[in-house]
Amino acid sequence: MNAADEALNDQPTHSPGGSGRLFSMNTPALSEIPGVALPDGARVPALGLGTWKMGEHAKRAAQEAEALAVGLDLGMTLIDTAEMYGDGGAEEVVAKAIAKRRESVFVVSKVYPHNAGRKSAIAACERSLRRLATDRLDLYLLHWRGRVPLAETVDAFERLRAAGKIVRWGVSNFDVGDMQELFALPEGRRCATNQVLYHLAERGIEWALLPWLRERRIPVMAYSPLGQGGLLRKPKLVAIARKLGATPAQVALGWLLRDTDVIAIPESGDPEHIRANRGAPSVKLPAAALREIDAAFPPPKKPTPLAML
Ligand code: NAP
């Protein structure tokens, strides 16, 4: 385990202590953000921050970085970004947000499939590192499968890992068949996570992919956990949230966090939304509420191919 992992394990921001100043103002009873164990033993907060759509307009960059900083202050110390987002602009926004606290943030970025070759992945990672103004990524993901053979990508990831430019690697948008192919490769089992579309209205992974990953103790990173905002307007979710005295976003996130191996990465550029999202671990979902949620947003009843955006 390296210094960053130790910092993540020890950091007070995993408990409300790290952000006590903010909590004590008007949010007295926030629960800790649960930790999720990665296969190498590092622990990351189950609630992080997404960055898609950030870094697209220079004028908004400072404001977006400030929004991320609010989330970091509140203990959401995992940031998900990608070379794709804002054409590198999102990574530059992240650089601003983490500049004075790199050691306490778990930085995830992703490589485009067309940049995932034996040499090109290394060059892409170095560009990401420059934009992020850091010397290493805590986690580097293949954004989705493309034409480059997986063996080449894994080889590049392993070389990046050996060089200390990434601490670990994983994949995104991989269905069971893709995971099986990956695991057939000599170093394929080093995969730390699979980042996939997962939220109340997209539960297809519960049929086969989630159990497959669970058997191998690979946590899932749930992207678009708020259904890109559209989920929050669904009347059934609004009604369930009202009964629970929570917001729809808190219920949607709290539901994902009911398991100990799911990491949710909601995106928001609005500090008020981020503060509200941070309340998700405090939402109690008793069995009756979970039954109501299952009735409104049923789990899959048959094999379902992986949905992706
Ligand atoms: P999301 O997190 O499900 O939803 C984001 C939207 O929800 C934004 O429009 C945001 O608007 C709104 N929102 C957030 N909190 C809210 C709240 N409390 N109340 C009301 N609205 C709220 O969607 P996403 O950005 O697609 O997914 C999250 C992250 O996952 C991305 O940013 C990215 O890092 C990652 N991702 C990965 C992939 C992949 O292929 N690997 C694909 C998609 C996404 P405001 O700014 O107004 O709050």
Side-chain angles (χ1 to χ4, degrees):
M1 191 177 291
N2 68 11
D5 294 335
E6 279 166 27
L8 283 162
N9 279 331
D10 295 346
Q11 64 180 301
T13 45
H14 276 186
S15 66
S19 41
R21 293 181 319 278
L22 281 163
F23 293 164
S24 58
M25 286 196 304
N26 50 12
T27 328
L30 277 181
S31 300
E32 272 188 37
I33 299 178
V36 171
L38 299 179
D40 61 10
R43 286 181 78 78
V44 297
L47 194 58
L49 300 161
T51 62
W52 194 17
K53 313 282 167 67
M54 290 190 177
E56 293 180 356
H57 305 281
K59 272 195 290 188
R60 281 193 229 140
Q63 207 183 327
E64 290 165 345
E66 275 166 35
L68 290 175
V70 168
L72 295 176
D73 282 341
L74 291 167
M76 299 157 86
T77 54
L78 179 151
I79 298 188
D80 177 75
T81 188
E83 63 172 335
M84 180 183 114
Y85 303 160
D87 229 352
E91 290 180 326
E92 289 169 359
V93 167
V94 172
K96 288 190 180 68
I98 65 173
K100 296 201 180 99
R101 48 173 134 192
R102 172 65 186 94
E103 295 308 313
S104 63
V105 185
F106 189 92
V107 178
V108 185
S109 193
K110 309 185 207 80
V111 61
Y112 266 127
H114 61 259
N115 282 342
R118 195 166 270 119
K119 284 191 180 152
S120 55
I122 290 172
C125 180
E126 282 166 355
R127 288 194 297 273
S128 285
L129 291 174
R130 272 197 296 279
R131 285 188 293 261
L132 286 158
T134 186
D135 60 346
R136 72 190 185 281
L137 297 172
D138 296 293
L139 177 62
Y140 199 31
L141 306 179
L142 171 60
H143 209 147
W144 64 90
R145 266 197 92 167
R147 293 200 192 133
V148 172
L150 270 183
E152 267 199 45
T153 306
V154 171
D155 187 58
F157 282 172
E158 281 298 310
R159 283 197 290 148
L160 286 166
R161 202 170 66 83
K165 293 185 177 176
I166 66 174
V167 182
R168 55 189 74 73
W169 59 264
V171 293
S172 176
N173 294 303
F174 268 41
D175 210 341
V176 175
D178 304 308
M179 290 305 302
Q180 284 167 333
E181 270 185 61
L182 180 65
F183 266 52
L185 297 173
E187 304 278 9
R189 287 162 196 262
R190 289 200 183 271
C191 174
T193 189
N194 184 8
Q195 184 181 113
V196 291
L197 178 65
Y198 186 36
H199 60 75
L200 275 173
E202 281 289 358
R203 299 182 60 175
I205 67 163
E206 291 174 27
W207 184 269
L209 182 59
L210 192 55
W212 193 96
L213 293 167
R214 243 170 217 163
E215 257 173 50
R216 290 156 186 83
R217 297 186 187 284
I218 299 177
V220 158
M221 209 176 270
Y223 75 67
S224 304
L226 307 172
Q228 302 202 284
L231 174 68
L232 309 179
R233 293 187 287 278
K234 297 222 180 258
K236 285 179 179 171
L237 177 57
V238 172
I240 292 168
R242 190 172 299 133
K243 265 200 235 172
L244 291 167
T247 69
Q250 287 170 339
V251 174
L253 295 172
W255 176 81
L256 284 169
L257 268 48
R258 75 200 184 288
D259 289 320
T260 56
D261 55 359
V262 177
I263 301 154
I265 46 170
E267 187 275 335
S268 176
D270 178 339
E272 281 317 305
H273 285 168
I274 293 174
R275 285 192 188 95
N277 294 348
R278 172 60 184 85
S282 311
V283 174
K284 298 279 168 289
L285 293 174
L290 289 174
R291 279 196 298 275
E292 213 176 321
I293 286 173
D294 280 347
F297 302 97
K301 295 188 179 62
K302 57 179 175 20
T304 314
L306 179 63
M308 54 182 87
L309 295 182

